[in-house]
Amino acid sequence: MNQNKKMGESMYQRLNVVQIEKQKQLDKKLLKHDFSCKERYTQAYASAKRMAENYASVENALVVLSNMMLDVCYICYGRLGRAMGLGETNEEVDSIWEKKVLDHVHPDDVTEKITRELQFHSFIMQQPINQRPNYYMQHLVRIETSQGNYLTLRHRIFYLDYDDSGNLLLTLCLYNVIKENAGPTGIICSMDDTLVKESNIIMHGLLTGRECEILELIRQGLASKQIADQLCISANTVNNHRQNIMHKLHCKNTTEAIDVARRLGLLPQK
């Protein structure tokens, strides 16, 4: 087993079931397409690799370029990679996920990172294709260094290219050390430097409207019988919905499901 696979397995051992399921959901959204324009795409990938190398050098950033068609990512570790004990070289690995980097992310930040990426993907794919380059996602993550302490990094996500059918082809992730000038967290329009309101980020397809309604009533403390009476359905139907919710979100209980749904914007913020 090569080193990349060992590092990947180590990361997955640290993730809980919910985190793994979220990553699978994002994989499905990003990879399950019939890509077109393969020749043009090959040229775009080569150009984007040069861009990634330049970012790593100029910004002292760790840069990850993900290639959806080939299901690989090109990682430029740079000087930040050396501080993490990953070296300064560039490499292409057999996954769109930067597993060697994620293995150093603080466990409490992994779910937040994947949730943010799901939100960004949902928002971008609802925008006209000519408007999509105007947005990027930004948030903070803690990364463990080779000395065992944590650095706070700004993580930015850009969608670089699409095929003629509108399927995402290339994404660029930048990791930079941050101390005083953290900036806003969320989806940002780079044309006017404004933060997209959370209310404008709509998640589709994870839960049905009825499932979200029932999960919200559970959050309010209602039992299955009370929910059934309020919605004029049977308690058995409510319990079936509860099981479906936990299955879809891969949660062990409704408390965990409520937290995951809240992070994804499926439930209103309190």
Side-chain angles (χ1 to χ4, degrees), residues 18-33 66 68 71 96-98 102 110-123 125 155 157 159 168 171 173 203 206 264:
V18 178
Q19 293 165 343
I20 293 173
E21 176 60 20
K22 284 185 178 182
Q23 188 157 326
K24 287 179 180 178
Q25 291 169 355
L26 193 54
D27 280 342
K28 184 176 180 180
K29 289 176 180 292
L30 296 176
L31 297 175
K32 304 303 181 183
H33 300 295
S66 294
M68 307 307 159
D71 190 13
I96 62 169
W97 295 98
E98 57 272 31
L102 290 174
V110 175
T111 297
E112 175 72 10
K113 178 182 182 298
I114 296 174
T115 299
R116 291 284 184 183
E117 294 195 20
L118 280 166
Q119 290 176 330
F120 186 52
H121 182 270
S122 180
F123 174 80
M125 301 314 278
H155 177 226
I157 310 166
Y159 285 1
L168 180 61
T171 69
C173 291
M203 299 296 296
L206 293 182
L264 290 172

Side-chain angles (χ1 to χ4, degrees), residues 183-251:
T185 293
I187 299 172
I188 298 169
C189 177
S190 57
M191 293 297 293
D192 55 15
D193 197 31
T194 56
L195 186 67
V196 174
K197 294 180 180 180
E198 290 285 339
S199 59
N200 292 337
I201 305 173
I202 302 171
M203 299 296 296
H204 291 293
L206 293 182
L207 298 179
T208 67
R210 177 65 91 183
E211 287 165 347
C212 290
E213 184 178 21
I214 287 174
L215 194 57
E216 172 59 24
L217 293 174
I218 293 171
R219 181 167 68 163
Q220 294 174 14
L222 275 67
S224 292
K225 180 63 168 61
Q226 294 171 303
I227 295 172
D229 291 343
Q230 182 166 325
L231 300 180
C232 299
I233 57 178
S234 71
N236 185 58
T237 298
V238 173
N239 288 332
N240 286 337
H241 280 303
R242 292 172 71 116
Q243 293 301 315
N244 289 337
I245 291 167
M246 289 187 287
H247 175 73
K248 288 181 178 181
L249 299 180
H250 279 240
C251 296

Side-chain angles (χ1 to χ4, degrees), residues 32 43 59 94 96 102 130 153-154 171 180 182 236 239:
K32 304 303 181 183
Q43 297 172 352
E59 290 203 11
D94 294 331
I96 62 169
L102 290 174
N130 65 321
L153 305 184
R154 178 193 292 120
T171 69
E180 296 181 0
N236 185 58
N239 288 332

